[in-house]
Amino acid sequence: MLGTQIKDVILKPDAPSSLLLDKHADYIAAYGSKKDDYEYTLSEYLRMSGIYWGLTVMDLMGQLDRMNLQEIIDFIKACQHDCGGFSASIGHDPHLLYTLSAVQILCLYDSLHAIDVDKVVEYVKGLQQEDGSFAGDKWGEIDTRFSFCAVATLALLGKMEMINVDRAVEFVLSCMNFDGGFGCRPGSESHAGQIYCCTGFLSLTGQLHQLNADLLGWWLCERQLPSGGLNGRPEKLPDVCYSWWVLASLKIIGRIHWIDKSRLRQFILACQDEETGGFADRPGDMVDPFHTLFGVAGLSLLGEEQVKAVNPVLCMPEDVLQRIGLQPDLLS
Amino acid sequence: MHGRVKVKTTAQQEEEKRKEREKKLKIYVAARDACFSKRKEGVCDDEALQLTQQLLSSNPDFATLWNYRREILMHLETVKDRDEMQNIYEAELSFLEACLKVNPKSYGSWHHRGWVSARLPRPDWARELSLCDRCLSLDDRNFHCWDYRRMVVKVSGVPVDQELEFSDRLIGSNFSNYSSWHYRSTLLPLLHPQTPEAGQEPPHASSPRGPQSHRVCEEQLLKEYELVQNAFFTDPNDQSAWFYYRWLLGRAEREETVSCVYVSREDERVAVAFSRPVNICDLPPGTINDVANEHNLTVHWTGSHTHRDCALYTGRVESWCRDTATDQELFRSELSVEKTSVLQSELQSVKQLQELEPLNKWCLLTIILLMRALDPLGYEKETLAHFQTLKQVDSMRSEYYSDLCSKFMIENTILKMEYAEVRVFSITDRNLTSLCHLDQLLLVTHINLSSNRLQRLPPQFAMLQCLEVLEADNNFLENLEGVYHLPRLQEVSLKNNSILSCRCSFRAQISVSSGTPVLGIGSFCDLCSYLAAYK
């Protein structure tokens, strides 16, 4: 009986099997120094997040000091608009996504004083809608990713009470599906990225008990494929970034032991590029800072000793959050 | 960023590629700079539309440019008439269609299309629905398209049953159809809610009302079973059907209710167990401690307009009122005769399928779930056997199956409590790896968890407010967290564990051993030094 073939990758026996931390640090340190790179220029629309990915992974590897603090702070300052929000880069429009990234970077550097914090709060508050949801910017796109961005930003600034938290929670819960997962908007299909945002949201708002952790945990642990890698939803290929979205979600809901850790670790390591450094979405593909962060962060959650402990809710080093005094709930 | 294969090339090929990219980059940067400077000057002309079009065609994720286009279009609305705007917006829709052909997964493109459709003087929702049809026929897992479809359906009032038929067609024709099953799960409760209201109009397929509203009336449910069964018998490896089936078998979250009220005269305390957490309330001293008095307590829960009564009689030191697990439909729904016979025949069918496909883990898990739905206690032995097989067939998830099995064994023990003592809870030698339903154990005075595989007693163990004796020998307990907040605890037995740390905070008779015979120890302080000596 010919049925559905399982979509997966096959790990080559000569795939990298040890963590090449120094190569990754060199890759990130050099990234973006060649400002005439085509890909780099085309991804300008997400630069603030790109910087957050690079700095966070460097910090996790204990090499943050190789990055140019002052240049970055100046860049961030130049990206704060009058409305209080931050854009991805100079000349671009403000958006919640890049506002969160900016605040996260400033926390890494303990430099929140460099920007107008009250204005940021005003910007975030202004994006909350009647039904509790958050628009990404003034153009009105609604997505649970933005609910996460909003509360994460405010949590880092210690100003969560400035929004209507109850309404925000109501909206996120209205996005819960039959399988215990969450999508972008009410009625949207469950997706690991959205699930990460919603479980992170519920952690920050103290509402994790509203989840059906057993049901959601099952859906999440079913993301693990024979190769050991994790996909984002059923019948999709594995991708190293899901080592973060899925794993962090499982950690938040107290069920990280439901996946096979050693098989996942093997997959993540296989996604390294021995030549260039960095991680790709899957073995043999092109590397980028996004997948590099989530590969390393995933390994941290799996207990990798060479990497600093990472917070599963905010994807930032635990020691940074300790300094701020932020300890989001986790289920046991 | 995703799915870009690294291709090995020669030095010459590298150089050619580099030159080409340099050229592309120059053009791109020139266009981008021109856009930005125009926008800075507040220009809203045709050239701006051209430039943004050029850039967005190859980079639709450049969100700021969609913003700029919207500003230009809004400006045009102030100087053009309705017909002109209709044409302009229709051209915009054509442009968007071209963008979506190249990149059907750009948030920016889909959002802009939604924005344009809403502003069209004469919207054409049929056209939008047809775009969704075509897009989904190419990739029926494109969630951007599904979300757009949901918006179109809502705004234009497409009837639910029409969309249900649509999902039928997709499920029938495509293998990768989790998205279609998901859509069904949102449509069914709208069309066939569990409690149909009189004179209700067929509802529009608007967004569902939240996680609690996934109940479906029984008649429709039984039809769905048939539909799903066809799917997984046709292709037993199609996981979406199995996920959907598990949802059909499951119950909606039980309503929040007060499941138990316990009163203690001695402690002058009332403990209330809700469907989940336990609330403890200390009464003012002297309120109920005189054993000569009778007291009637009522717990009002304003949140869900319920209340429970509990009478504390003269001469009694404690009292309680508690729904049994069955009353609460705690672990399974009441089954109608029809539903029971349907599930019985499904169990037989899936068992047959399992014999044909012994390595199919979905079959094994589903058999277990069906047994739970039909007769949890009667099928206990078979359930345990199936779990053993499942852990071998799907070893990556063996910890999940261990925890799930633990949950079911605990449920069975709670169910058995209805016929026996409600104050003794004993579940030994069951390979328990985790604890749950602790909110059901408020009244328990004696608990025996010996000879299992528990690594911890979680913080929720504090719900066992009446606990006097804890036996948990032969486990893998690493610490005594969870035991510290039990006010009545007198005896603890923890032979053969892996206890590494504890806090010295209260008195207890402890028997503990890492291989030596039982010792009586007076307090946790003694325990700490005893353990330290043994390291």
mmCIF file of all heavy atoms in Angstrom, chain B residues 219-239:
data_model
loop_
_atom_site.group_PDB
_atom_site.id
_atom_site.type_symbol
_atom_site.label_atom_id
_atom_site.label_comp_id
_atom_site.label_asym_id
_atom_site.label_seq_id
_atom_site.Cartn_x
_atom_site.Cartn_y
_atom_site.Cartn_z
ATOM 1 N N GLU B 219 -24.547 13.606 17.011
ATOM 2 C CA GLU B 219 -24.894 13.104 15.680
ATOM 3 C C GLU B 219 -23.788 13.418 14.679
ATOM 4 O O GLU B 219 -23.342 12.557 13.921
ATOM 5 C CB GLU B 219 -26.197 13.758 15.234
ATOM 6 C CG GLU B 219 -26.817 13.120 13.991
ATOM 7 C CD GLU B 219 -27.913 14.018 13.426
ATOM 8 O OE1 GLU B 219 -28.691 14.541 14.236
ATOM 9 O OE2 GLU B 219 -27.968 14.189 12.200
ATOM 10 N N GLN B 220 -23.357 14.650 14.716
ATOM 11 C CA GLN B 220 -22.301 15.068 13.784
ATOM 12 C C GLN B 220 -20.990 14.379 14.116
ATOM 13 O O GLN B 220 -20.227 13.996 13.230
ATOM 14 C CB GLN B 220 -22.133 16.585 13.851
ATOM 15 C CG GLN B 220 -21.179 17.136 12.807
ATOM 16 C CD GLN B 220 -21.627 16.860 11.398
ATOM 17 O OE1 GLN B 220 -22.813 16.771 11.108
ATOM 18 N NE2 GLN B 220 -20.674 16.682 10.498
ATOM 19 N N LEU B 221 -20.762 14.205 15.416
ATOM 20 C CA LEU B 221 -19.547 13.556 15.885
ATOM 21 C C LEU B 221 -19.417 12.162 15.281
ATOM 22 O O LEU B 221 -18.355 11.754 14.813
ATOM 23 C CB LEU B 221 -19.603 13.467 17.409
ATOM 24 C CG LEU B 221 -18.318 13.427 18.190
ATOM 25 C CD1 LEU B 221 -17.447 14.618 17.861
ATOM 26 C CD2 LEU B 221 -18.642 13.439 19.680
ATOM 27 N N LEU B 222 -20.520 11.411 15.314
ATOM 28 C CA LEU B 222 -20.471 10.043 14.802
ATOM 29 C C LEU B 222 -20.205 10.032 13.302
ATOM 30 O O LEU B 222 -19.513 9.147 12.789
ATOM 31 C CB LEU B 222 -21.769 9.296 15.145
ATOM 32 C CG LEU B 222 -22.020 9.120 16.662
ATOM 33 C CD1 LEU B 222 -23.332 8.417 16.927
ATOM 34 C CD2 LEU B 222 -20.870 8.373 17.317
ATOM 35 N N LYS B 223 -20.736 11.036 12.594
ATOM 36 C CA LYS B 223 -20.443 11.133 11.148
ATOM 37 C C LYS B 223 -18.957 11.396 10.935
ATOM 38 O O LYS B 223 -18.334 10.866 10.014
ATOM 39 C CB LYS B 223 -21.248 12.275 10.516
ATOM 40 C CG LYS B 223 -22.681 11.943 10.236
ATOM 41 C CD LYS B 223 -23.270 12.912 9.196
ATOM 42 C CE LYS B 223 -24.746 13.146 9.472
ATOM 43 N NZ LYS B 223 -25.196 14.506 9.191
ATOM 44 N N GLU B 224 -18.412 12.259 11.799
ATOM 45 C CA GLU B 224 -16.991 12.598 11.676
ATOM 46 C C GLU B 224 -16.111 11.375 11.901
ATOM 47 O O GLU B 224 -15.102 11.207 11.215
ATOM 48 C CB GLU B 224 -16.583 13.669 12.686
ATOM 49 C CG GLU B 224 -17.015 15.083 12.376
ATOM 50 C CD GLU B 224 -16.499 15.610 11.052
ATOM 51 O OE1 GLU B 224 -15.279 15.803 10.925
ATOM 52 O OE2 GLU B 224 -17.322 15.824 10.138
ATOM 53 N N TYR B 225 -16.496 10.534 12.872
ATOM 54 C CA TYR B 225 -15.711 9.315 13.123
ATOM 55 C C TYR B 225 -15.562 8.521 11.831
ATOM 56 O O TYR B 225 -14.502 8.017 11.514
ATOM 57 C CB TYR B 225 -16.399 8.423 14.158
ATOM 58 C CG TYR B 225 -16.252 8.864 15.594
ATOM 59 C CD1 TYR B 225 -17.341 8.887 16.458
ATOM 60 C CD2 TYR B 225 -15.008 9.233 16.093
ATOM 61 C CE1 TYR B 225 -17.210 9.282 17.773
ATOM 62 C CE2 TYR B 225 -14.875 9.639 17.413
ATOM 63 C CZ TYR B 225 -15.980 9.656 18.242
ATOM 64 O OH TYR B 225 -15.846 10.048 19.555
ATOM 65 N N GLU B 226 -16.695 8.415 11.107
ATOM 66 C CA GLU B 226 -16.680 7.643 9.870
ATOM 67 C C GLU B 226 -15.718 8.265 8.870
ATOM 68 O O GLU B 226 -14.923 7.578 8.233
ATOM 69 C CB GLU B 226 -18.092 7.629 9.285
ATOM 70 C CG GLU B 226 -18.451 6.333 8.583
ATOM 71 C CD GLU B 226 -19.801 6.462 7.893
ATOM 72 O OE1 GLU B 226 -20.782 6.737 8.605
ATOM 73 O OE2 GLU B 226 -19.835 6.306 6.655
ATOM 74 N N LEU B 227 -15.804 9.582 8.740
ATOM 75 C CA LEU B 227 -14.959 10.309 7.795
ATOM 76 C C LEU B 227 -13.484 10.097 8.094
ATOM 77 O O LEU B 227 -12.685 9.772 7.206
ATOM 78 C CB LEU B 227 -15.304 11.799 7.866
ATOM 79 C CG LEU B 227 -14.635 12.715 6.852
ATOM 80 C CD1 LEU B 227 -15.131 12.383 5.452
ATOM 81 C CD2 LEU B 227 -14.945 14.175 7.178
ATOM 82 N N VAL B 228 -13.135 10.248 9.374
ATOM 83 C CA VAL B 228 -11.729 10.117 9.747
ATOM 84 C C VAL B 228 -11.239 8.687 9.588
ATOM 85 O O VAL B 228 -10.124 8.438 9.141
ATOM 86 C CB VAL B 228 -11.509 10.545 11.219
ATOM 87 C CG1 VAL B 228 -10.038 10.491 11.563
ATOM 88 C CG2 VAL B 228 -12.042 11.917 11.449
ATOM 89 N N GLN B 229 -12.112 7.759 9.938
ATOM 90 C CA GLN B 229 -11.732 6.363 9.830
ATOM 91 C C GLN B 229 -11.384 6.023 8.381
ATOM 92 O O GLN B 229 -10.381 5.359 8.113
ATOM 93 C CB GLN B 229 -12.894 5.494 10.296
ATOM 94 C CG GLN B 229 -12.423 4.302 11.086
ATOM 95 C CD GLN B 229 -13.522 3.257 11.277
ATOM 96 O OE1 GLN B 229 -13.235 2.083 11.331
ATOM 97 N NE2 GLN B 229 -14.768 3.695 11.370
ATOM 98 N N ASN B 230 -12.215 6.502 7.458
ATOM 99 C CA ASN B 230 -11.904 6.291 6.040
ATOM 100 C C ASN B 230 -10.524 6.805 5.711
ATOM 101 O O ASN B 230 -9.764 6.165 5.000
ATOM 102 C CB ASN B 230 -12.928 7.013 5.149
ATOM 103 C CG ASN B 230 -14.261 6.304 5.137
ATOM 104 O OD1 ASN B 230 -14.328 5.116 5.453
ATOM 105 N ND2 ASN B 230 -15.301 7.020 4.780
ATOM 106 N N ALA B 231 -10.197 7.975 6.244
ATOM 107 C CA ALA B 231 -8.901 8.595 5.956
ATOM 108 C C ALA B 231 -7.755 7.728 6.446
ATOM 109 O O ALA B 231 -6.834 7.419 5.686
ATOM 110 C CB ALA B 231 -8.835 9.980 6.574
ATOM 111 N N PHE B 232 -7.802 7.304 7.728
ATOM 112 C CA PHE B 232 -6.623 6.563 8.191
ATOM 113 C C PHE B 232 -6.591 5.120 7.762
ATOM 114 O O PHE B 232 -5.543 4.488 7.770
ATOM 115 C CB PHE B 232 -6.305 6.757 9.671
ATOM 116 C CG PHE B 232 -7.342 6.341 10.693
ATOM 117 C CD1 PHE B 232 -7.703 5.008 10.861
ATOM 118 C CD2 PHE B 232 -7.906 7.291 11.520
ATOM 119 C CE1 PHE B 232 -8.624 4.635 11.835
ATOM 120 C CE2 PHE B 232 -8.826 6.938 12.503
ATOM 121 C CZ PHE B 232 -9.184 5.603 12.654
ATOM 122 N N PHE B 233 -7.742 4.573 7.334
ATOM 123 C CA PHE B 233 -7.673 3.239 6.737
ATOM 124 C C PHE B 233 -7.111 3.310 5.321
ATOM 125 O O PHE B 233 -6.414 2.406 4.877
ATOM 126 C CB PHE B 233 -9.030 2.551 6.762
ATOM 127 C CG PHE B 233 -9.310 1.877 8.078
ATOM 128 C CD1 PHE B 233 -10.291 2.353 8.931
ATOM 129 C CD2 PHE B 233 -8.559 0.796 8.476
ATOM 130 C CE1 PHE B 233 -10.529 1.752 10.157
ATOM 131 C CE2 PHE B 233 -8.783 0.188 9.706
ATOM 132 C CZ PHE B 233 -9.775 0.660 10.543
ATOM 133 N N THR B 234 -7.410 4.410 4.611
ATOM 134 C CA THR B 234 -6.849 4.577 3.269
ATOM 135 C C THR B 234 -5.343 4.767 3.340
ATOM 136 O O THR B 234 -4.592 4.226 2.542
ATOM 137 C CB THR B 234 -7.474 5.816 2.588
ATOM 138 O OG1 THR B 234 -8.881 5.722 2.673
ATOM 139 C CG2 THR B 234 -7.037 5.903 1.133
ATOM 140 N N ASP B 235 -4.913 5.555 4.298
ATOM 141 C CA ASP B 235 -3.487 5.784 4.481
ATOM 142 C C ASP B 235 -3.140 5.843 5.956
ATOM 143 O O ASP B 235 -3.219 6.906 6.575
ATOM 144 C CB ASP B 235 -3.057 7.073 3.790
ATOM 145 C CG ASP B 235 -1.565 7.332 3.971
ATOM 146 O OD1 ASP B 235 -0.844 6.420 4.441
ATOM 147 O OD2 ASP B 235 -1.124 8.455 3.662
ATOM 148 N N PRO B 236 -2.755 4.717 6.532
ATOM 149 C CA PRO B 236 -2.469 4.672 7.975
ATOM 150 C C PRO B 236 -1.298 5.539 8.409
ATOM 151 O O PRO B 236 -1.072 5.714 9.598
ATOM 152 C CB PRO B 236 -2.153 3.188 8.220
ATOM 153 C CG PRO B 236 -2.696 2.457 7.049
ATOM 154 C CD PRO B 236 -2.613 3.403 5.900
ATOM 155 N N ASN B 237 -0.533 6.068 7.446
ATOM 156 C CA ASN B 237 0.585 6.928 7.814
ATOM 157 C C ASN B 237 0.237 8.407 7.719
ATOM 158 O O ASN B 237 1.079 9.265 7.962
ATOM 159 C CB ASN B 237 1.800 6.639 6.929
ATOM 160 C CG ASN B 237 2.383 5.271 7.237
ATOM 161 O OD1 ASN B 237 2.629 4.941 8.386
ATOM 162 N ND2 ASN B 237 2.556 4.464 6.206
ATOM 163 N N ASP B 238 -1.027 8.704 7.371
ATOM 164 C CA ASP B 238 -1.446 10.098 7.289
ATOM 165 C C ASP B 238 -1.734 10.586 8.696
ATOM 166 O O ASP B 238 -2.813 10.377 9.247
ATOM 167 C CB ASP B 238 -2.694 10.211 6.420
ATOM 168 C CG ASP B 238 -3.245 11.622 6.414
ATOM 169 O OD1 ASP B 238 -2.544 12.550 6.865
ATOM 170 O OD2 ASP B 238 -4.386 11.800 5.950
ATOM 171 N N GLN B 239 -0.755 11.253 9.283
ATOM 172 C CA GLN B 239 -0.872 11.584 10.703
ATOM 173 C C GLN B 239 -1.994 12.563 11.013
ATOM 174 O O GLN B 239 -2.553 12.536 12.116
ATOM 175 C CB GLN B 239 0.451 12.084 11.260
ATOM 176 C CG GLN B 239 1.141 13.107 10.407
ATOM 177 C CD GLN B 239 2.450 13.532 11.029
ATOM 178 O OE1 GLN B 239 2.466 14.226 12.020
ATOM 179 N NE2 GLN B 239 3.539 13.101 10.419
#
